[in-house]
Amino acid sequence: MNTQPLRPHTARSLVTGILFGASLLSAAASAAPQDQALQVYSRVAGVKPSAETLVELADEDLATVAYAAMEDDAFYNVTLKNLATPWTNREQDVFAPLNDYTATVIGMVRDDVDFREVLYGDILYTGNVSGLPPYSNSNNDHYEALENGGYSLKDNLVRNTQSSVTGLPAEATAGVITSRAAAKSFFIAGTNRAMFRFTLVNHLCRDLEQVHDTSRPSDRIRQDVSRSPGGDSRVFQNNCIGCHSGMDPMTQAFAYYDFTYDADTDPEGENGQLDYNSAGETDPITGSRVKAKNHINSANFPYGYIVPDDRWDNYWREGPNMYLGWSSSLPGGGYGAKSLGEELANSRAFAECQVTKVFRQVCLREPEDATDRTLIDTVADDFSSNGYSLKQVYADTAVYCAGE
């Protein structure tokens, strides 16, 4: 398997030196070189380097130390797994088993894939180890065996197309959104709004309360949302509309998806699978490609919006949520999960979110002050303009936090 070589140190890698001058560098330099190298390596890889490695790295610049740490198996088996695993389940449990969502994130970082593809690529990483159970659309045995066997994820993940492995049409793939793990957690039952909400939480670092906007039109809010909860229409106007007016038009991108399972014999959906209505398939309840779950509880407000297809539109391109930084090169609407993933992944909020999550993990704290926020902005700029490499984010952030 090809491995990524250590990236040469460049001026932009030393983002702290560019931004914050000699004062910050001298603060970082207050620790002995070996102590700084040990800290950077340990925070990036999640384990300490060997004594020999530490001696070799003591005289290297800290960006080189960070990239050396990213060659350690533990960076993939520990650091990246801990980063991505909470994104795969509603409980945000970091101890959940390895799955196709987590493995795909890990493989993308290893291969320096444009990280925006996490929300729209026809991409899936599987284990390349003899004797593993094959990938299955209806269980997680392949990944659990890979993890339980203690195999190196750095050395034993292989890139595939999702469409070739799962049979999902290429145009219906949307990175981890259409992974089995995400479908099991967020397409199961309900109305598919959970998939939108958790994609927002995990990849734009915003929950619905933070994007609440009652100024958007309510014309795409579905029938299942009462316009007078508890008999009081003011609740709808001042509360419900703030989320649903923006969420429902975008969640429509998932109209053809469901997670099918036997609720009687398999209530947790452990043996369920992602189900997609391709062109020509008709749901017996709706009489169209739209899954029946999109039309449930229609009696709550019969005059509400009836989902006819997977056309989505981003109403948040206007109003306060325009500051999420939507790309001017995209139309702000389209059909299906893939184009919605592109809309989300090309936002400024997406770039800043990835940097913020890495900051928390490497610096062991939240961004606290103006200097931290400047760092987030600058690394997000670098991330966006240089191929969306998450390795670069780890290196820049580790350099910034050195000596803390």
Side-chain angles (χ1 to χ4, degrees):
M1 183 192 90
N2 291 328
T3 58
Q4 296 293 314
L6 294 183
R7 186 172 295 191
H9 168 61
T10 63
R12 71 179 176 84
S13 297
L14 291 178
V15 66
T16 51
I18 295 171
L19 288 175
F20 310 111
S23 61
L24 285 179
L25 288 178
S26 62
S30 62
Q34 279 198 359
D35 291 339
Q36 288 190 47
L38 175 62
Q39 183 206 62
V40 168
Y41 192 106
S42 300
R43 289 190 178 184
V44 172
V47 296
K48 294 181 180 180
S50 67
E52 294 80 4
T53 299
L54 185 58
V55 170
E56 291 174 1
L57 293 173
D59 295 328
E60 298 286 351
D61 65 75
L62 295 181
T64 298
V65 175
Y67 276 106
M70 286 182 259
E71 291 300 307
D72 195 305
D73 285 344
F75 176 65
Y76 302 92
N77 286 54
V78 179
T79 301
L80 290 179
K81 184 177 184 295
N82 288 346
L83 177 75
T85 299
W87 308 345
T88 70
N89 60 87
R90 296 191 189 215
E91 296 75 25
Q92 299 183 313
D93 180 9
V94 72
F95 299 110
L98 184 72
N99 52 55
D100 57 350
Y101 189 138
T102 315
T104 297
V105 171
I106 293 170
M108 289 179 67
V109 177
R110 182 199 68 188
D111 294 344
D112 244 354
V113 176
D114 182 329
F115 201 67
R116 290 175 298 179
E117 289 194 39
V118 77
L119 295 185
Y120 62 80
D122 184 3
I123 187 170
L124 177 73
Y125 280 80
T126 57
N128 186 26
V129 177
S130 177
L132 289 180
Y135 179 93
S136 173
N137 288 334
S138 57
N139 64 57
N140 193 46
D141 295 353
H142 174 81
Y143 294 97
E144 293 185 32
L146 180 62
E147 181 174 30
N148 293 337
Y151 297 105
S152 164
L153 298 180
K154 173 192 171 192
D155 294 334
N156 293 292
L157 288 177
V158 60
R159 179 175 177 171
N160 307 277
T161 59
Q162 204 173 122
S163 53
S164 67
V165 174
T166 70
L168 192 66
E171 65 273 13
T173 61
V176 296
I177 292 174
T178 50
S179 65
R180 181 182 182 274
K184 177 178 178 293
S185 291
F186 311 131
F187 279 149
I188 193 169
T191 60
N192 287 350
R193 292 185 178 101
M195 180 63 80
F196 180 78
R197 181 206 166 194
F198 281 96
T199 301
L200 205 67
V201 169
N202 294 327
H203 298 287
L204 273 71
C205 293
R206 304 291 200 284
D207 207 341
L208 292 174
E209 292 81 2
Q210 296 164 285
V211 292
H212 194 268
D213 175 17
T214 58
S215 69
R216 299 300 90 212
S218 62
D219 60 314
R220 297 275 283 277
I221 299 180
R222 299 184 214 166
Q223 294 173 306
D224 63 327
V225 179
S226 172
R227 270 49 172 188
S228 298
D232 188 348
S233 63
R234 292 172 298 178
V235 175
F236 173 77
Q237 292 292 339
N238 297 319
N239 189 10
C240 305
I241 194 175
C243 294
H244 284 281
S245 60
M247 174 173 58
D248 281 17
M250 284 195 270
T251 304
Q252 193 171 328
F254 308 136
Y256 303 156
Y257 297 87
D258 199 359
F259 185 78
T260 58
Y261 66 106
D262 189 323
D264 295 325
T265 63
D266 182 26
E268 301 300 318
E270 296 298 332
N271 298 307
Q273 65 181 56
L274 176 65
D275 186 54
Y276 175 78
N277 278 350
S278 298
E281 294 185 78
T282 300
D283 185 281
I285 303 298
T286 67
S288 69
R289 287 178 67 183
V290 176
K291 293 288 189 179
K293 66 194 312 180
N294 293 275
H295 290 183
I296 65 172
N297 298 322
S298 59
N300 284 352
F301 188 69
Y303 304 104
Y305 187 71
I306 301 173
V307 175
D309 54 27
D310 65 348
R311 169 75 198 193
W312 64 269
D313 289 282
N314 184 0
Y315 283 14
W316 288 342
R317 279 182 167 254
E318 297 180 0
N321 290 319
M322 67 183 293
Y323 296 108
L324 293 174
W326 308 106
S327 171
S328 60
S329 67
L330 295 174
Y335 292 88
K338 184 182 288 291
S339 60
L340 177 62
E342 292 175 346
E343 175 82 345
L344 299 174
N346 280 281
S347 69
R348 176 66 179 186
F350 174 86
E352 291 179 352
C353 182
Q354 314 320 306
V355 176
T356 300
K357 288 182 293 188
V358 171
F359 184 101
R360 291 170 182 150
Q361 192 178 39
V362 174
C363 299
L364 306 179
R365 62 181 178 83
E366 293 285 338
E368 296 171 349
D369 55 25
T371 305
D372 289 347
R373 289 190 291 273
T374 299
L375 181 280
I376 298 292
D377 287 342
T378 303
V379 177
D381 287 342
D382 198 31
F383 181 53
S384 303
S385 60
N386 291 285
Y388 288 83
S389 166
L390 209 65
K391 284 184 177 178
Q392 182 70 56
V393 174
Y394 271 97
D396 285 348
T397 307
V399 171
Y400 174 77
C401 293
E404 288 188 352

